Amino acid sequence: RFVYLPYLGLKRVLWALMLVMSVAIYGSHAPLLTLCKVDGKIPFSASSVVVLTELTKLVISFISLLIWDRRQLGVSLSWRHAAPFALSALLYAANNNLVVHMQLFMDPSTYQVLSNLKIGSTALLYSMFLHQRLSLHKWLALFLLTAAGASYTYGGLQDLQHSSSSSEMQLHVTLIGLLLISVYCLISGLSAVYTEVILKTQDLPLTLQNLFLYYFGVLLNLIVHLLSSNGAGFLDGFSFWVLVIVVSQALNGLIMSVVMKHSSNITRLFVISCSMLVNALLSILLFSLQLTQRLPWRWL
């Protein structure tokens, strides 16, 4: 008993540290991408960043497997264990590339606010595929979140060409940005729920499951990069901030796999919601973002 209680306390501390780190990484992603822009454009290949991120996660997963689950290397495995992760990798590859391209059609805080609509899509798919009944209070919360996103969009929708010429960053989103964010939220919910189902139904250690997932991730994203490459070098346009993005997103992916394996997507959604505060704070400090006090509804 005396041994178990300190272990339980340490476990809770580690969980708290992981979740806090994930909140910080989620919230800083869009501002970091904005710091990488040159003349308002992303100077690097989105696919090359995703390939490096997936490769980093693959290497860390392999090292973790050697350290903590070495005995699994001698276990006979079937292709049926690895095949389900191919779809997960495909969905994640699509979303990871979308995130980079969306920064051209909205500011970081607008992205962070609208991307929270994936909370609704994830919760709906979570209820459908995992047969988890949501209470009336939870459905009401989802409705309020969706309404908030819709009202924000109505008030902030404008073309970048007609935005203010002030050096201070303004809230903005274009029609193309809205389309991309809608697709992003749908794929995000589907990929998260599908991956959670696989992680929890397979009787395999997480390190081995991550190895399968990120192997397909590297393979698919490398194919995307080769098909979309316009002759530029793999590392063209890279800077210190790009490397920070690669490392932070790799760590966040590994943290989220732990969350989905041992907790649920509901915990992941809580992290995503909290990250909006981090994003807003960084946008104000780094880009002098002006948060308006005017209500977004034009009829009020």
Side-chain angles (χ1 to χ4, degrees), residues 25 52-53 56 60 242-253:
I25 294 174
L52 285 179
T53 302
T56 303
I60 295 176
V242 179
L243 297 179
V244 172
I245 290 173
V246 169
V247 174
S248 63
Q249 289 305 301
L251 290 176
N252 201 36

Side-chain angles (χ1 to χ4, degrees), residues 174-280:
T174 67
L175 285 172
I176 296 177
L178 282 179
L179 176 62
L180 292 178
I181 201 73
S182 300
V183 175
Y184 167 80
C185 290
L186 178 61
I187 297 178
S188 178
L190 183 60
S191 59
V193 173
Y194 176 75
T195 303
E196 181 179 340
V197 171
I198 299 174
L199 292 176
K200 289 184 174 178
T201 53
Q202 288 187 348
D203 188 21
L204 293 174
L206 180 60
T207 52
L208 186 58
Q209 290 177 312
N210 279 341
L211 202 64
F212 293 150
L213 176 60
Y214 301 134
Y215 166 77
F216 285 114
V218 172
L219 182 62
L220 291 173
N221 284 287
L222 188 58
I223 293 174
V224 170
H225 175 75
L226 293 176
L227 292 177
S228 62
S229 177
N230 56 3
F234 186 79
L235 299 179
D236 278 3
F238 272 53
S239 64
F240 169 76
W241 295 117
V242 179
L243 297 179
V244 172
I245 290 173
V246 169
V247 174
S248 63
Q249 289 305 301
L251 290 176
N252 201 36
L254 293 168
I255 291 174
M256 285 298 103
S257 66
V258 175
V259 170
M260 287 189 283
K261 177 76 171 182
H262 300 291
S263 183
S264 71
N265 265 295
I266 300 302
T267 303
R268 172 177 167 271
L269 297 182
F270 173 76
V271 169
I272 294 171
S273 299
C274 293
S275 67
M276 185 169 60
L277 299 176
V278 176
N279 177 278

Side-chain angles (χ1 to χ4, degrees), residues 132-182:
Q132 300 289 330
R133 294 181 61 87
L134 299 178
S135 66
L136 180 61
H137 291 87
K138 291 181 179 179
W139 283 117
L140 178 60
L142 292 175
F143 170 77
L144 292 176
L145 176 65
T146 304
S151 64
Y152 178 89
T153 301
Y154 182 82
L157 180 60
Q158 57 180 324
D159 194 305
L160 282 173
Q161 296 178 351
H162 297 92
S163 60
S164 172
S165 60
S166 170
S167 60
E168 296 177 336
M169 177 177 289
Q170 302 293 322
L171 298 175
H172 65 265
V173 58
T174 67
L175 285 172
I176 296 177
L178 282 179
L179 176 62
L180 292 178
I181 201 73
S182 300

